[in-house]
Amino acid sequence: MRGSSPLFTRRVLAAAAVSTLILTAGLTPALAATPKDTLVLAFGFDDIITMDPAEAFELSAGEIMGNTYDRLVRLDTSDPSKIVGDVAASWAISADGKTFSFELKPGLKFASGNPLTAEDVAYSLQRAVLLNKSPAFILGQFGFNKDNVKDKIKATGPLQVTFETDQAYASSFVLNCLTANVGAIVDKKLLASKEVNGDMGYAWLKTNYAGSGPMKLREWRANEVIMLERNDNYYGSKAPLARVLYRHSKESATQRLMLEKGDVDIARNLSPQDLAALAANKDIKTTSASKGTVYYISLNQKNPNLAKPEVREALKWLVDYSAIGDTLIKNIGAVNQNFMAQGLLGASNAMPYKLDVDKAKALLVKAGLPNGFKVTIDMRTIQPVQGITESFQQNAKRAGIDIEIIPGDGKQVLTKYRARTHDMYIGQWGADYWDPHTNATFVQNSDNSDDAKAKPLAWRNAWMVPELDKMASAAVLERDTGKRKKLYEDMQAEFRKTSPFIMLFQQVEVAGVRSNVEGFKLGPTFDTNYMFKVTKN
């Protein structure tokens, strides 16, 4: 604990009491409403692995990062095509398009009380590159590595930072990348005090907090609870509520019951059926937003059967997209057979596939597998993923493919997937920043070795197509919007035919909200679901 004053002790005890009250909600027949100064959410967050923004790369973790950490710039949630300053008061771009200079707002502080300076900003971006965890490639794609990052990203004054790229990229692309969680600003002085063997505070920050955002992380217990508290050192408008508490819950029926009883203020993982059931409840309202998040099934090309082009295509004809759209994702998603989410430049509406078992069988014969084969799929036990996987399993069986479902929590499934030791995987990809290149991860892979520096989704599935990789690299340098759009459309056309990805749907996030909650708005990305703007009547 930071300090041991009587006031601090009383605050911690009060927070603990609130946590205990909320965690036991639903265990007794009669409970009071949630505390007036606390927003309580039911949310499945079993995918979280770390709270370090240099490593956090999960959707649930992204939401926490968006509420607790500042960055140079943020996405304009009212218009995702625009960028607004966060700690940056202004910025300028050099004539050659390679150097971005940022001027910081004065008088900024971290939650710790330490001043936030240009040195902290430079250190944070350098640290992400040097640690080289999963999201580091977002910065690495600008030519940064451990040998040059301290020269290319640096403080040039107390409130001045420069960011020098290796090529002249589309300026919107560079700025969009800096809105990603990997661009979060950490407290250099605080992390220096927690450093062990030169790890830049990495071990400590996995479960702790070193930011300056509107909320601060008080506690994270995996698969149990996350508690955020208002950061009174925040430079902007202070959060109206004292704290935000997430209760881990994955079952829609349980979330609905807690919401109806008033044990939680917001339920985040409601099924179409439970949303429909809530429609008549005058104490509950719903809100929704189309997300830059796509769901897919991927096929590891290290598996010799899945590496056959005919098998890849056959599996795409074994998904009942129509039934999924009408039932499992009704009102919470829209069928999408492309890697680009609607709303991003170059998104496509093409949907050539439908359930056709006979066509799949013919392709298996052509692949030399007339009797089918056995394969496994790793699945996070959460809806609608589980329902989609079971439907896919049943259809595949009709074609002779025996799929064994391997269930697990989000952390387990993701860890295995990132090590590419799976056969098939079903999951989601959320936009890290609002630019089409964020989804080029589906086609880019310039090094397929197990120890590759960059590990995008194509790499995770051992798929390497140099032509598509080159197109993606060209698209990010193209400054003509029309030509750039055409490149992404062409990439997706080839991707639909030959890739080891079965694209399923784009998420529409829906939440059930108690009527006394105001200001809750879902953003286009998970890190723009802002809890610090919410009030309660």
Side-chain angles (χ1 to χ4, degrees):
M1 294 184 179
R2 301 176 198 165
S4 56
S5 69
L7 174 61
F8 180 82
T9 302
R10 287 196 298 272
R11 287 177 59 207
V12 172
L13 290 173
V18 170
S19 178
T20 300
L21 169 66
I22 295 170
L23 283 171
T24 56
L27 300 179
T28 54
L31 284 171
T34 60
K36 287 188 176 181
D37 64 351
T38 302
L39 182 70
V40 186
L41 303 97
F43 189 39
F45 53 82
D46 60 322
D47 57 331
I48 297 179
I49 295 171
T50 178
M51 286 296 178
D52 187 335
E55 184 178 28
F57 211 37
E58 301 75 45
L59 295 182
S60 301
E63 180 166 317
I64 305 305
M65 300 295 117
N67 282 277
T68 57
Y69 281 91
D70 289 325
R71 50 219 72 193
L72 282 166
V73 290
R74 283 188 187 252
L75 198 66
D76 184 342
T77 55
S78 62
D79 182 356
S81 67
K82 296 179 180 177
I83 298 293
V84 294
D86 196 0
V87 302
S90 62
W91 55 89
I93 306 168
S94 63
D96 66 2
K98 294 168 64 176
T99 301
F100 291 70
S101 301
F102 297 89
E103 180 78 20
L104 306 188
K105 296 170 181 175
L108 300 175
K109 288 183 178 180
F110 287 102
S112 68
N114 292 330
L116 190 161
T117 69
E119 190 63 37
D120 293 288
V121 175
Y123 170 80
S124 300
L125 300 176
Q126 293 166 2
R127 179 179 180 271
V129 173
L130 293 169
L131 287 176
N132 196 29
K133 301 301 178 181
S134 293
F137 78 89
I138 296 173
L139 299 176
Q141 61 194 340
F142 299 115
F144 304 129
N145 56 53
K146 63 182 179 61
D147 297 319
N148 68 16
V149 68
K150 290 186 177 180
D151 292 324
K152 298 295 184 181
I153 304 176
K154 56 189 176 184
T156 53
L159 298 178
Q160 292 80 37
V161 180
T162 59
F163 185 96
E164 184 183 347
T165 62
D166 60 341
Q167 298 184 73
Y169 298 92
S171 59
S172 60
F173 169 57
V174 177
L175 293 170
N176 274 314
C177 284
L178 289 174
T179 70
N181 291 315
V182 74
I185 300 161
V186 296
D187 187 334
K188 180 180 179 180
K189 184 177 180 180
L190 176 59
L191 288 185
S193 71
K194 306 297 182 181
E195 189 170 298
V196 177
N197 298 324
D199 73 345
M200 294 181 283
Y202 170 70
W204 180 81
L205 198 53
K206 271 184 172 290
T207 56
N208 287 284
Y209 174 66
S212 58
M215 306 296 292
K216 55 186 177 181
L217 177 68
R218 170 60 63 188
E219 182 180 14
W220 165 47
R221 296 203 302 272
N223 296 0
E224 289 186 44
V225 65
I226 300 170
M227 182 181 282
L228 310 182
E229 286 187 350
R230 179 172 55 226
N231 174 18
D232 290 325
N233 282 331
Y234 181 58
Y235 75 87
S237 299
K238 305 299 186 286
L241 299 177
R243 62 187 63 83
V244 175
L245 193 140
Y246 293 81
R247 291 182 56 186
H248 176 60
S249 172
K250 295 197 295 184
E251 294 297 329
S252 174
T254 303
Q255 289 197 13
R256 173 188 161 194
L257 179 61
M258 289 192 290
L259 184 65
E260 289 176 322
K261 291 175 63 179
D263 295 338
V264 299
D265 300 305
I266 300 173
R268 298 285 299 281
N269 303 106
L270 296 171
S271 69
Q273 294 77 17
D274 284 315
L275 283 166
L278 288 170
N281 190 324
K282 62 180 178 59
D283 295 322
I284 309 295
K285 54 189 176 182
T286 60
T287 186
S288 65
S290 183
K291 311 294 282 193
T293 301
V294 290
Y295 283 70
Y296 64 93
I297 296 170
S298 68
L299 320 173
N300 192 340
Q301 298 301 280
K302 287 190 172 188
N303 181 306
N305 286 332
L306 298 178
K308 296 176 182 289
E310 299 87 357
V311 172
R312 296 200 297 259
E313 186 180 356
L315 288 166
K316 293 174 185 178
W317 292 104
L318 292 172
V319 175
D320 194 343
Y321 304 93
S322 178
I324 289 170
D326 291 342
T327 57
L328 295 173
I329 63 167
K330 186 178 181 180
N331 298 323
I332 62 170
V335 173
N336 182 5
Q337 295 181 4
N338 302 279
F339 69 70
M340 199 71 74
Q342 295 298 318
L344 287 167
L345 180 72
S348 171
N349 291 315
M351 289 193 284
Y353 296 102
K354 62 181 180 180
L355 178 62
D356 192 328
V357 177
D358 290 336
K359 184 171 288 190
K361 285 181 176 180
L363 285 163
L364 291 175
V365 170
K366 189 177 179 181
L369 295 166
N371 299 317
F373 58 95
K374 293 184 177 181
V375 69
T376 64
I377 185 168
D378 289 278
M379 175 199 76
R380 181 185 178 195
T381 52
I382 194 169
Q383 295 295 0
V385 169
Q386 189 166 341
I388 292 172
T389 308
E390 291 167 352
S391 169
F392 179 54
Q393 179 192 46
Q394 293 165 7
N395 292 328
K397 187 70 173 178
R398 294 168 60 192
I401 301 174
D402 185 0
I403 299 177
E404 178 190 354
I405 297 174
I406 303 176
D409 67 21
K411 181 178 179 180
Q412 292 168 332
V413 173
L414 275 172
T415 299
K416 183 176 179 181
Y417 182 45
R418 288 172 179 169
R420 58 179 188 179
T421 56
H422 63 294
D423 281 341
M424 295 195 294
Y425 162 86
I426 181 169
Q428 65 213 100
W429 174 260
D432 293 309
Y433 46 89
W434 204 253
D435 185 276
H437 194 67
T438 188
N439 280 23
T441 183
F442 282 98
V443 299
Q444 283 202 295
N445 182 11
S446 58
D447 180 357
N448 203 37
S449 62
D450 286 340
D451 60 351
K453 290 182 179 179
K455 299 179 178 180
L457 296 187
W459 176 90
R460 290 185 195 177
N461 293 283
W463 188 52
M464 189 174 182
V465 182
E467 293 78 11
L468 286 176
D469 186 79
K470 289 177 183 177
M471 288 177 70
S473 296
V476 83
L477 295 171
E478 180 56 65
R479 296 189 175 191
D480 184 302
T481 301
K483 291 179 179 178
R484 192 174 185 220
K485 179 175 181 286
K486 179 67 164 52
L487 283 168
Y488 288 114
E489 291 171 343
D490 291 346
M491 274 185 263
Q492 289 177 100
E494 179 62 26
F495 175 90
R496 286 191 298 271
K497 291 187 292 184
T498 62
S499 80
F501 293 93
I502 306 170
M503 305 308 299
L504 300 169
F505 72 96
Q506 178 173 346
Q507 181 181 10
V508 175
E509 188 178 15
V510 184
V513 185
R514 298 286 305 178
S515 59
N516 66 319
V517 174
E518 299 293 338
F520 175 74
K521 183 179 179 181
L522 296 164
T525 60
F526 271 81
D527 55 6
T528 52
N529 290 339
Y530 293 149
M531 304 303 146
F532 59 87
K533 296 185 177 183
V534 178
T535 61
K536 289 171 67 174
N537 298 324

